Amino acid sequence: MNNSEALRARAAALHLHGMLAHWPEVATSDWVTSLLDWEEQERHRRSLERRLKDAHIGRFKPLCDFDWAWPKRCDHAAVEALMALDFLSDATNVVLVGPNGVGKSTLAQNIAHQALLAGHTVLFTSAGQLLGDLCALDSDSALRRRLRHYARPQLLVIDEVGYLSYSNRHADLMFELVSRRYQVRSTLITTNRPFAEWREVFPNAACVVSLIDRLIHNAEIIAIDGDSYRLKEARERTEQRARQRRGGKP
């Protein structure tokens, strides 16, 4: 493909139909390459801005500031591999499991943000928000539309599974969503409960075993163990204030 054909292909990808209609007149103009560069850059910027807004990732600590020395157990290499986003290409799921405050949500937010930068569609939500949203719908058509909304992103992050317990209807809706995404798109779950305890999260739900089976089939499961980093920071702030008060005394 010569340079003119390559430029024409770029103009076609951008749907610049007016330019294409007059291509023989403009193909050799010096400004064509600059115009296509500007248009591609602006569309990429606007696309990223829109996807960031729609993803609802929120504020988070970047991975470069993550204290890898704090968790007693966390596979740093496995997390770095997830940041390469290869798991999205074959719709692999990811489960980050560990106690409260060890950085599961922070790691999930970093992976989600990296996916956005790479051009993927992402949605970040908590389990409570997701299931509350779905259960609040009172018509089958509205529920189907909302399930399509959650099934559509290339990466769906469901944060904080296990912090609350849910009814059988909640469990059925979670199963339906995971089934729709199964082997089609990647789902990332953070949970403070091992799978053996998920019957306490969805008590009496018949679909729990099938839900876990679809979720973990070919999944990347990373266990994180340690004390709460938030509690550590709170203690450090308290100690710092105490030192400041003692230092301020005459």
Side-chain angles (χ1 to χ4, degrees):
M1 182 183 293
N2 61 37
N3 188 53
S4 178
E5 291 173 343
L7 291 174
R8 193 180 191 285
R10 290 171 62 188
L14 293 167
H15 305 291
L16 300 177
H17 301 298
M19 176 181 286
L20 292 169
H22 297 275
W23 190 252
E25 304 166 40
V26 304
T28 58
S29 300
D30 295 337
W31 50 264
V32 170
T33 300
S34 295
L35 186 144
L36 294 175
D37 288 343
W38 296 335
E39 188 67 23
E40 287 169 346
Q41 291 164 9
E42 179 61 16
R43 292 195 186 190
H44 176 75
R45 185 194 67 77
R46 293 173 66 182
S47 171
L48 178 59
E49 190 176 76
R50 182 183 67 254
R51 287 182 291 110
L52 278 168
K53 180 180 177 182
D54 293 342
H56 303 293
I57 295 175
R59 297 178 60 185
F60 62 94
K61 179 184 294 186
L63 204 59
C64 60
D65 294 334
F66 189 80
D67 186 358
W68 294 102
W70 178 252
K72 296 175 182 175
R73 178 175 58 151
C74 182
D75 192 335
H76 189 172
V79 174
E80 291 289 354
L82 290 176
M83 292 291 285
L85 306 177
D86 292 339
F87 73 96
L88 292 174
S89 62
D90 56 2
T92 296
N93 291 335
V94 177
V95 181
L96 305 179
V97 57
N100 301 350
V102 293
K104 301 183 302 296
S105 298
T106 296
L107 296 178
Q109 287 170 308
N110 274 274
I111 294 167
H113 187 255
Q114 186 71 9
L116 278 170
L117 293 178
H120 299 287
T121 52
V122 175
L123 179 59
F124 192 104
T125 182
S126 70
Q129 290 172 329
L130 168 71
L131 295 175
D133 183 23
L134 292 174
C135 274
L137 301 171
D138 55 5
S139 75
D140 289 341
S141 59
L143 179 58
R144 285 194 298 271
R145 285 194 301 271
R146 204 60 182 161
L147 281 168
R148 285 196 297 270
H149 166 75
Y150 287 113
R152 190 178 301 121
Q154 290 163 297
L155 175 61
L156 174 66
V157 180
I158 307 176
D159 196 26
E160 299 179 340
V161 176
Y163 290 75
L164 302 171
S165 60
Y166 300 98
S167 68
N168 289 355
R169 175 162 168 75
H170 288 111
D172 291 341
L173 290 169
M174 177 71 90
F175 175 73
E176 173 67 22
L177 178 59
V178 168
S179 296
R180 288 188 181 210
R181 298 182 59 84
Y182 178 57
Q183 295 187 323
V184 179
R185 294 180 179 87
S186 296
T187 303
L188 191 161
I189 299 279
T190 75
T191 179
N192 65 334
R193 297 287 194 99
F195 291 115
E197 297 179 5
W198 274 37
R199 286 197 176 278
E200 299 174 25
V201 180
F202 302 102
N204 304 316
C207 66
V208 172
V209 173
S210 297
L211 167 63
I212 295 171
D213 181 64
R214 281 168 172 74
L215 192 60
I216 67 174
H217 181 224
N218 294 328
E220 181 79 27
I221 302 174
I222 298 178
I224 307 170
D225 194 16
D227 298 323
S228 171
Y229 192 79
R230 287 190 290 268
L231 182 58
K232 169 182 174 287
E233 289 185 323
R235 287 172 177 164
E236 289 174 348
R237 285 194 298 269
T238 300
E239 291 169 0
Q240 182 182 14
R241 289 170 186 147
R243 286 194 299 270
Q244 289 172 344
R245 286 194 294 269
R246 288 195 298 269
K249 289 183 177 179

